[in-house]
Amino acid sequence: MNVMRPIKSVDDLVRTGLIEEAERLALDEVAARYAVAMTPAMARLIDHADPADPIARQFVPDAAELVTTPEERADPIGDHAHSPVEGIVHRYPDRVLLKAVHVCPVYCRFCFRREMVGPQGLGTLEPAALAAAFDYIRGHSEIWEVILTGGDPLVLSPRRLGDILSELAAIQHVKIVRFHTRVPVVDPQKIDAELIAALKASGKTVYVALHANHPRELTAEARAACARLVDAGVVMVSQSVLLKGVNDDPDVLAGLMRAFVEARVKPYYLHHPDLAPGTSHFRLSIEEGQKIVSSLRGRISGLCQPTYILDIPGGYGKAVIGETAAQATGEGCYSISDYRGNEHSYPPAD
């Protein structure tokens, strides 16, 4: 399929053959509630012959999104509870989120901020609100790291990014600037010399956390975009979501983590899906997730191992939920499981 334009509506999905005309009515209702967008780079990866294609599952709306379960909530990780001023989330002492923009080049069907992003969402911070956000950062000397998220901050023009980073450059106690983005994967040509120069303009140490969930997303073009960033001195880490029907398979997950490492992106976080409205069809149990993640031990290099985490609902922060290999059996004694699942005493009994 040769898709030349971004897909931004149900009409576009029908036109490109990604959904059938008969699905339009239900999906119009989904699109009225949650934003729809997909870049040509992602649309071209979809295998039309596979009804369970993992790329389509991430970006093509599904009538299942109209089902909201009792435990789901509009703000599943509690951003609002830790937002002292518009655009800032200050959940941990030494770092803040700066949500300068609430639009994305693609809208993931499992997005935990799906009530806030998109054309009908919170939009881009107005100049006065952005100035107040910078004032907040300046006024809190404990803030060591600023994480630009949203939305996807790399949808902003190099000029707008440069303006933001110029403000941060003047705040002495901020040492690290991190960007959470899908752009190097979903729109790799946007990672050009002008954008990279803007990212580097602050003189701070810059990290880019790249969101991808399936090894097919790490195309040659995406890897080239990552190479341009890394070669310019930008440190890259990964974040992924463990998703039913996308990567809830040890071989697929191992392939994804290897692809990151090959692209010089260090695996960082593997998120358990959040309790966002209309996303129950993506969620597996924590026990299922632990089993998949524990199977990676010994299967792939230590360089490829992500940290499996859960954002505790209500704004209480992240918890590491990977199954532990060590179980106490007595004072100073433990049972240790190896990567094959065999148990061993520590210290050894003999």
Side-chain angles (χ1 to χ4, degrees):
M1 178 177 60
N2 186 20
V3 177
M4 303 301 294
R5 304 196 309 271
I7 292 169
K8 296 185 176 181
S9 67
V10 173
D11 283 344
D12 289 341
L13 291 167
V14 173
R15 173 180 54 79
T16 53
L18 287 168
I19 65 168
E20 299 294 332
E21 180 66 39
E23 300 175 86
R24 180 192 292 272
L25 186 61
L27 297 189
D28 277 340
E29 190 175 348
V30 175
R33 189 178 301 183
Y34 306 117
V36 173
M38 189 189 327
T39 58
M42 289 297 96
R44 286 192 291 266
L45 288 181
I46 293 172
D47 179 0
H48 283 234
D50 181 4
D53 181 82
I55 309 301
R57 185 165 170 80
Q58 292 183 69
F59 303 118
V60 176
D62 189 310
E65 295 174 53
L66 299 173
V67 178
T68 301
T69 60
E71 69 274 12
E72 292 176 344
R73 52 189 70 189
D75 182 18
I77 69 169
D79 278 358
H80 294 323
H82 296 278
S83 185
V85 298
E86 185 181 0
I88 292 286
V89 177
H90 196 174
R91 182 177 285 109
Y92 302 102
D94 72 337
R95 54 206 182 273
V96 295
L97 303 183
L98 174 56
K99 298 193 290 185
V101 63
H102 287 86
V103 296
C104 300
V106 295
Y107 291 109
C108 304
R109 309 322 304 167
F110 50 87
C111 178
F112 68 97
R113 291 196 179 110
R114 61 197 328 224
E115 299 276 359
M116 309 173 199
V117 300
Q120 76 277 43
L122 300 180
T124 300
L125 281 189
E126 296 292 335
L130 189 57
F134 287 129
D135 285 343
Y136 181 87
I137 295 169
R138 274 189 288 269
H140 287 77
S141 60
E142 73 273 22
I143 296 172
W144 172 81
E145 180 182 23
V146 174
I147 302 166
L148 280 104
T149 182
D152 193 318
L154 295 194
V155 302
L156 295 171
S157 69
R159 180 188 63 79
R160 295 284 301 279
L161 287 169
D163 290 345
I164 290 170
L165 286 162
S166 293
E167 292 281 353
L168 296 176
I171 304 175
Q172 186 173 2
H173 55 264
V174 173
K175 305 298 184 184
I176 307 295
V177 181
R178 191 196 322 173
F179 292 85
H180 284 188
T181 184
R182 262 194 178 277
V183 166
V185 160
V186 303
D187 192 9
Q189 299 311 309
K190 187 172 173 61
I191 308 298
D192 59 15
E194 188 180 9
L195 184 142
I196 292 170
L199 296 185
K200 297 286 288 179
S202 67
K204 308 293 186 182
T205 300
V206 175
Y207 280 73
V208 166
L210 175 64
H211 177 185
N213 299 309
H214 193 277
R216 275 169 41 204
E217 296 175 55
L218 275 296
T219 62
E221 293 79 10
R223 294 182 190 221
C226 293
R228 291 192 289 274
L229 287 162
V230 175
D231 288 345
V234 175
V235 182
M236 294 192 71
V237 297
S238 79
Q239 56 178 355
S240 304
V241 185
L242 187 57
L243 299 165
K244 186 181 292 185
V246 175
N247 56 20
D248 59 332
D249 175 280
D251 290 332
V252 172
L253 201 58
L256 173 63
M257 297 304 152
R258 288 193 185 107
F260 280 135
V261 172
E262 290 165 10
R264 292 182 286 171
V265 178
K266 178 66 182 78
Y268 181 39
Y269 279 155
L270 177 65
H271 294 263
H272 191 77
D274 296 308
L275 297 174
T279 64
S280 61
H281 54 297
F282 285 108
R283 288 197 300 275
L284 61 169
S285 69
I286 287 177
E287 290 80 9
E288 289 171 315
Q290 288 172 331
K291 184 176 180 180
I292 292 167
V293 171
S294 67
S295 76
L296 297 180
R297 284 192 296 125
R299 182 188 292 261
I300 52 176
S301 164
L303 289 172
C304 302
Q305 302 287 340
T307 300
Y308 183 34
I309 61 148
L310 171 73
D311 262 300
I312 303 170
Y316 299 102
K318 294 178 175 63
V320 177
I321 58 171
E323 188 176 25
T324 180
Q327 302 290 333
T329 58
E331 188 173 349
C333 297
Y334 301 85
S335 175
I336 309 291
S337 62
D338 65 25
Y339 73 92
R340 295 186 176 90
N342 299 317
E343 298 292 324
H344 308 271
S345 296
Y346 179 86
D350 50 359

